[in-house]
Amino acid sequence: MKRNHVDIITLGCSKNLVDSEILMKQFENNGYSCDHDSENPEGEIAIINTCGFIGDAKEESINTILEFAERKKKGELKKLFVMGCLSQRYKSELENELPEVDKYYGKFDYKQVLVDLGVVQSIPESGSRVITTPNHYAYIKISEGCDRHCAYCAIPIITGKHISRPKDEILCEIKELVSQGVKEFQIIAQELTFYGRDFDGKSHIAELVSDISDIEGVEWIRLHYAYPAQFPLELLDVIREKKNVCKYLDIALQHISDHMLSAMHRHITKEETYKLIEEIRRRVPGITLRTTLMVGFPGETEQDYEELKEFTRWARFERMGAFAYSEEEGTYSEQHYKDDVPEDVKEARLSKLMMIQQKISAELEEKRVGTTMKVIIDRKEGDYYVGRTEFSSPEVDPEVLVPAEEKQLTIGQFYDVKIVGSEEFDLYATTIY
């Protein structure tokens, strides 16, 4: 057990990761050393940053807490703290069920752990943080919460109303990270396109992204978690015109039939969705679209599902994920709908939908063969350097594999490569000398 050493374990999304990085920095500023997601945690303090979004994530969070509680019982750990979405939502239940944890913190009061440990009297609001990702990219969280209240989603229950960070604060954080060598920025929020509406009722995401792109040293900007209703079309002009804004947009659509969109409280119609996709592709030629779709929502009929498959074939999304509906406590759908689509039907629909997408992905990736593309190298793995194009976000999207024997490459640097082969989700390339 290492004295004055903290192990922080982050579960869930990249927004949680940013919180962990901020907390690590504050511990280090006060004389502690920290490890993040260590395979062999040895610190006297452990902090688990939980996810409470869906059933599987909750289960993973509980299992991780139990694992560290057992270590504490064995004397391998002095203090155990839990923070994040799960403890934000179920604090009292967790305190009763798992008293081995020294204290539970929510989504917004986690910095208080330093005060409770007697480390500091008050916590600075600085966004300074330790980067746990490879040094060349970082996630930038531009807001908290969500005002959309989709019928199936527990996020507004957990995180509350949308609160945008001040633009100057975001820009200062990015400048600081650039000075540390970060080149690529993943701009994240629960609802990215809502940014600034809490200031004056208008979306300011286009202005924010434009200002970020003007910062010297920012080489790639990638946008995550847009919402289709009231989409700010001026953002598309920024994506098209700014060279360092990747032609990439992560926009969760969930479904396409009017029946399902209405039941889900998505505030958009089938016709409007089709038109939006057409407008995005018209304004930003060559853009890569990532989306998420849902099957098995209460009341989903075979006709609804057929419309979803037809839409998937039409849209030909470059990146697509899908999941089966699971009932979440406290949501509108849990309180007002019956979860009436059998589990085996949900799984069958999910499997068929992903088979359609896998074929589309394979065809689109194959079209890259013979082209020259700019990649950033993330790591070396076995016999290959592993990189990404502007059309791929870390960890979730296809990668580019370059034989390590060809040439020594530098992690975090950009290279032009020629694509020589493709698989369903990855590309193979050779470096251009």
Side-chain angles (χ1 to χ4, degrees):
M1 190 189 309
K2 290 183 180 178
R3 181 175 167 78
N4 290 337
H5 187 89
V6 183
D7 283 296
I8 296 184
I9 296 86
T10 303
L11 306 171
C13 68
S14 51
K15 295 185 287 295
N16 271 9
L17 180 65
V18 172
D19 294 338
S20 292
E21 292 177 340
I22 292 170
L23 188 58
M24 288 175 68
K25 182 66 172 180
Q26 293 178 346
F27 267 107
E28 291 187 0
N29 285 346
N30 287 279
Y32 284 77
S33 59
C34 297
D35 275 335
H36 184 258
D37 284 351
S38 172
E39 292 184 6
N40 298 296
E42 299 177 308
E44 62 179 355
I45 299 171
I47 301 174
I48 302 169
N49 191 352
T50 58
C51 179
F53 182 40
I54 56 175
D56 289 347
K58 293 176 188 175
E59 183 178 353
E60 182 185 19
S61 294
I62 293 294
N63 289 340
T64 305
I65 295 169
L66 290 170
E67 176 190 333
F68 277 81
E70 187 63 27
R71 290 188 62 235
K72 189 184 176 194
K73 285 181 184 177
K74 293 178 179 178
E76 298 171 356
L77 184 65
K78 284 187 177 180
K79 295 283 186 181
L80 174 59
F81 300 103
V82 172
M83 59 183 274
C85 292
L86 190 74
S87 53
Q88 173 77 23
R89 192 174 186 196
Y90 300 107
K91 185 171 182 285
S92 59
E93 293 94 325
L94 289 167
E95 287 172 339
N96 291 330
E97 295 293 328
L98 295 169
E100 301 90 339
V101 174
D102 288 279
K103 191 164 182 179
Y104 290 91
Y105 299 87
K107 186 83 175 98
F108 306 107
D109 64 343
Y110 63 89
K111 299 174 190 176
Q112 185 66 25
V113 67
L114 286 96
V115 176
D116 292 342
L117 283 168
V119 175
V120 293
Q121 296 299 312
S122 62
I123 305 299
E125 291 300 318
S126 169
S128 296
R129 59 194 229 240
V130 173
I131 298 299
T132 60
T133 53
N135 293 335
H136 53 279
Y137 72 80
Y139 294 94
I140 301 294
K141 182 162 56 171
I142 64 170
S143 65
E144 290 281 9
C146 184
D147 283 9
R148 293 297 188 179
H149 299 287
C150 299
Y152 51 82
C153 186
I155 292 296
I157 300 171
I158 298 170
T159 62
K161 291 181 68 64
H162 178 103
I163 301 175
S164 302
R165 290 178 63 195
K167 184 177 73 169
D168 289 347
E169 182 182 297
I170 296 169
L171 298 180
C172 284
E173 180 182 8
I174 291 174
K175 289 174 184 176
E176 180 181 342
L177 291 171
V178 167
S179 73
Q180 298 171 20
V182 178
K183 304 172 181 178
E184 176 186 358
F185 294 88
Q186 322 296 334
I187 310 301
I188 58 172
Q190 187 61 37
E191 211 287 60
L192 183 115
T193 46
F194 204 88
Y195 178 79
R197 288 190 184 274
D198 49 326
F199 297 153
D200 59 7
K202 301 175 184 177
S203 173
H204 289 267
I205 185 62
E207 173 191 331
L208 174 66
V209 174
S210 180
D211 287 351
I212 293 171
S213 75
D214 290 337
I215 296 174
E216 187 174 354
V218 173
E219 300 202 36
W220 273 359
I221 301 165
R222 196 174 287 105
L223 307 178
H224 288 274
Y225 320 128
Y227 189 87
Q230 299 174 300
F231 185 89
L233 295 175
E234 63 271 17
L235 176 61
L236 301 176
D237 299 328
V238 175
I239 297 174
R240 182 185 67 250
E241 294 167 9
K242 296 287 188 176
K243 291 184 178 180
N244 56 354
V245 179
C246 297
K247 288 185 171 60
Y248 180 105
L249 183 65
D250 191 336
I251 179 168
L253 297 173
Q254 306 301 356
H255 217 286
I256 193 61
S257 82
D258 284 328
H259 172 217
M260 285 289 94
L261 291 172
S262 176
M264 290 178 174
H265 297 175
R266 293 292 286 173
H267 307 293
I268 194 170
T269 66
K270 175 179 180 176
E271 182 182 1
E272 289 167 345
T273 303
Y274 270 91
K275 286 182 177 178
L276 176 61
I277 299 303
E278 288 178 335
E279 184 67 6
I280 291 172
R281 293 205 185 279
R282 186 187 71 81
R283 288 208 193 195
V284 191
I287 193 172
T288 283
L289 290 179
R290 163 172 274 285
T291 198
T292 307
L293 301 176
M294 182 194 300
V295 299
F297 188 77
E300 184 185 53
T301 65
E302 282 297 328
Q303 177 59 37
D304 295 325
Y305 178 59
E306 288 300 320
E307 288 184 46
L308 188 61
K309 289 195 294 183
E310 180 185 352
F311 175 64
T312 302
R313 294 188 186 100
W314 173 84
R316 293 181 65 81
F317 294 107
E318 288 79 8
R319 319 279 186 240
M320 192 197 88
F323 63 100
Y325 169 80
S326 66
E327 194 169 76
E328 289 300 311
E329 181 185 356
T331 60
Y332 184 93
S333 59
E334 185 262 342
Q335 294 174 346
H336 295 87
Y337 301 148
K338 181 182 178 182
D339 187 4
D340 57 356
V341 180
E343 290 301 317
D344 60 336
V345 174
K346 290 180 186 178
E347 292 305 317
R349 288 177 179 176
L350 179 62
S351 177
K352 290 175 184 175
L353 190 66
M354 288 310 300
M355 285 178 63
I356 293 170
Q357 179 59 30
Q358 285 170 9
K359 183 173 183 294
I360 292 169
S361 295
E363 291 171 355
L364 292 176
E365 293 301 286
E366 188 176 8
K367 287 184 178 180
R368 306 276 192 196
V369 175
T371 65
T372 297
M373 304 188 76
K374 179 181 177 182
V375 300
I376 192 165
I377 301 299
D378 281 339
R379 65 189 184 278
K380 186 179 179 184
E381 197 171 279
D383 296 330
Y384 292 93
Y385 288 104
V386 182
R388 289 173 294 107
T389 68
E390 70 172 291
F391 309 114
S392 289
S393 193
E395 299 182 1
V396 295
D397 286 334
E399 296 175 316
V400 180
L401 281 63
V402 183
E405 62 185 16
E406 283 188 359
K407 181 181 180 182
Q408 184 172 341
L409 305 181
T410 302
I411 306 301
Q413 294 297 317
F414 290 96
Y415 295 90
D416 288 329
V417 300
K418 183 176 182 180
I419 307 301
V420 296
S422 72
E423 290 184 344
E424 202 169 89
F425 293 109
D426 288 324
L427 297 170
Y428 290 86
T430 182
T431 50
I432 295 176
Y433 292 89

